[in-house]
Amino acid sequence: PPFPSCPLPLEEGRERAANSTGYTLKRKGRKGEAMAQIPPLKVEGYKGFGSFHSDSLSQLLQQGITPFPAKIEAAFSSSISSSPLFSSLSSSNDEGESASGEGVFFTAACKSDFLLDPAFAFLNHGAFGSPLRCLLDVANAWREHVEKQPLLFIDRQLFPFLARTMIELGQYLGVPAASIALTQNVTTGLNAAIFSYAREVKEREGRGPKLGTLDIAYGAVKKMISVAAEENGGEAVTLPVGSSFHDKAHFLTVLEEELTKVETCDVFVFDAVTSNTALLLPVREVCEVLRRNGVKKIIVDGAHALGQIPFGVEEGCERLDNIDFDVFAFNCHKWMCVPRGCAFLVAPSPMKGEGAAPPTLRGRVVSHGTAEGWQESLLWDGARDYSPSLTLPFALRLWQSERMKSAVGAMRRYATEQAEAMARRWQTHILSPLDMRGAMLCVALPSIPALPLPLSSSSAKAVQDWLFDQNIECPVKCIDGKLYLRLSFHVHCTGADVERLTSAIDALLHLPPIQDE
């Protein structure tokens, strides 16, 4: 039938009668009449941005939760039912380990919840993460759902579903959805924030901006502030705080001393967890120091934060509304184990009652959402795979379980335990003090006779490549002229992985010195 409400075929000899809701079609020639209702033609403009057939993002966020397709929910339920890590979460747990028990962490059974090659000892989760098998199943279910009718999905379903992701993410973090913008990765989000605020200074004050960061910041961030300063006639400053601290109080003292030596920065970017040196920085206190020294815009690079630092409103969690930042950028593919391509920014001005994020914050990609608002400008950057962002709500369900709430603390304890054992074995040290440790740590290597002096990044690469040849994935860093293993301990890491690494290093120490040709 041409319409769902028209069960009988229409024949010639029809009569048309106009009414208020459409046209009534009458089929004649038989006893009685079969009636069919043709839906009316509605003439109205686009409600959202571009030519998408859905409401505006602000309306969608106010409308509440849009149900996900039953097949997506079924894919998630089916996947976790066979998961060693999560299968018991849906049961009553009358027998065996409780839902909050940590005994399943750091075991071979737990490793099977990831797609990691068992031939490798994988101790580099912090680089690009590794998605949980069940979340990859959900993302693939979304991909299949999209391809059933791509135009229906992108034009009419995508934005209501993404709005649901933002709503549930806000509930998880304890912030309004109006303060969240989804994007592909932290790199994209930081580019938007840094270049937007640099341009704002130039346009508002008629001078070049002063952009600052730390010497322990991520290398790509240093490049961002350098290019943003150059494009806007400003200056990029890197504060030399070093990487060796007694505790976080010592770090904060060094930071404040260095800030007093330079002119006030308009924009300052720092890591919540540093990438190269694996230091967990005291975010709230750093923001207080920066404000005290006149910094106008504070951007936090949280690429490694979510999953290592517990955020939320529950006891023991870090509350975002208690931190005085302007933008906090988060990745979801690293420690939260969501498939790659999911990240978000939090801009807290809606939390402070100002009504909206600064209008100068815009995505770097010019597309349909550019003129609409900061959330829209980041949300749509062209046709791409949005399944990772749509998978995030399912990840949040896992991380809100008692078991995964306990994972953050368990990973930190396991990291310190294993790192201290390595330091004792080689009579070296851990780079970070106890109150600046997360699940990612740097352990100093002993002197390696095979390496010529002085040590450099080339020395670090040589050791990392040598380990890779032994099927061990672990980054090696040269910090202040010394070599360090930068170790990541997620729940899939096992004692066998650690033993393979330590045994390989022991063997490396017995290699003869490299002879000059």
Side-chain angles (χ1 to χ4, degrees), residues 116-313:
L116 293 167
D117 185 348
F120 272 82
F122 191 75
L123 294 160
N124 194 10
H125 188 101
F128 301 108
S130 177
L132 281 160
R133 187 184 297 271
C134 61
L135 297 181
L136 198 59
D137 288 344
V138 172
N140 287 333
W142 275 116
R143 293 179 182 115
E144 288 190 12
H145 176 75
V146 172
E147 301 311 328
K148 298 288 186 182
Q149 220 285 33
L151 263 293
L152 167 65
F153 180 81
I154 296 174
D155 260 356
R156 303 174 189 273
Q157 296 179 346
L158 175 61
F159 293 115
F161 289 148
L162 289 173
R164 172 173 177 170
T165 294
M166 296 166 67
I167 292 169
E168 294 195 12
L169 182 57
Q171 293 170 346
Y172 176 79
L173 296 172
V175 302
S179 66
I180 295 171
L182 296 174
T183 186
Q184 294 190 64
N185 47 57
V186 160
T187 299
T188 301
L190 290 177
N191 268 274
I194 291 169
F195 281 83
S196 293
Y197 291 145
R199 184 175 63 251
E200 179 187 25
V201 173
K202 182 178 181 180
E203 293 176 352
R204 185 187 62 214
E205 302 185 23
R207 61 173 178 83
K210 194 177 188 68
L211 311 178
T213 191
L214 304 176
D215 57 348
I216 53 176
Y218 190 51
V221 169
K222 296 176 183 177
K223 293 178 181 178
M224 289 178 209
I225 68 166
S226 176
V227 174
E230 182 180 354
E231 286 187 5
N232 292 279
E235 179 186 3
V237 177
T238 300
L239 300 187
V241 296
S243 54
S244 180
F245 308 102
H246 307 309
D247 51 29
K248 68 179 183 181
H250 179 211
F251 165 76
L252 293 168
T253 299
V254 173
L255 172 63
E256 187 129 34
E257 289 175 353
E258 292 300 326
L259 282 167
T260 61
K261 297 176 184 178
V262 298
E263 293 182 15
T264 301
C265 291
D266 298 293
V267 182
F268 201 93
V269 190
F270 72 95
D271 302 59
V273 182
T274 61
S275 179
N276 203 51
T277 52
L279 297 169
L280 196 156
L281 301 187
V283 176
R284 179 173 55 81
E285 294 93 331
V286 171
C287 290
E288 291 172 355
V289 170
L290 293 174
R291 291 292 190 216
R292 193 158 58 240
N293 284 271
V295 176
K296 301 179 181 67
K297 298 292 184 182
I298 299 173
I299 302 171
V300 187
D301 176 359
H304 288 276
L306 205 61
Q308 279 204 82
I309 302 172
F311 291 98
V313 296

Side-chain angles (χ1 to χ4, degrees), residues 406-486:
S406 70
V408 177
M411 290 189 294
R412 287 192 184 188
R413 291 190 295 273
Y414 191 74
T416 290
E417 174 188 317
Q418 296 296 333
E420 287 180 344
M422 291 182 196
R424 287 194 301 269
R425 182 172 184 148
W426 299 319
Q427 297 184 353
T428 61
H429 64 279
I430 301 173
L431 181 65
S432 53
L434 192 59
D435 61 355
M436 296 179 72
R437 293 180 188 174
M440 191 168 68
L441 299 174
C442 284
V443 177
L445 285 171
S447 176
I448 300 174
L451 289 175
L453 298 176
L455 298 176
S456 65
S457 59
S458 296
S459 311
K461 180 181 181 301
V463 176
Q464 184 169 339
D465 288 345
W466 186 87
L467 289 172
F468 179 81
D469 290 340
Q470 319 303 312
N471 282 5
I472 298 169
E473 193 67 76
C474 180
V476 182
K477 306 293 183 180
C478 185
I479 303 170
D480 299 330
K482 298 178 182 178
L483 296 189
Y484 290 82
L485 298 173
R486 195 204 69 177

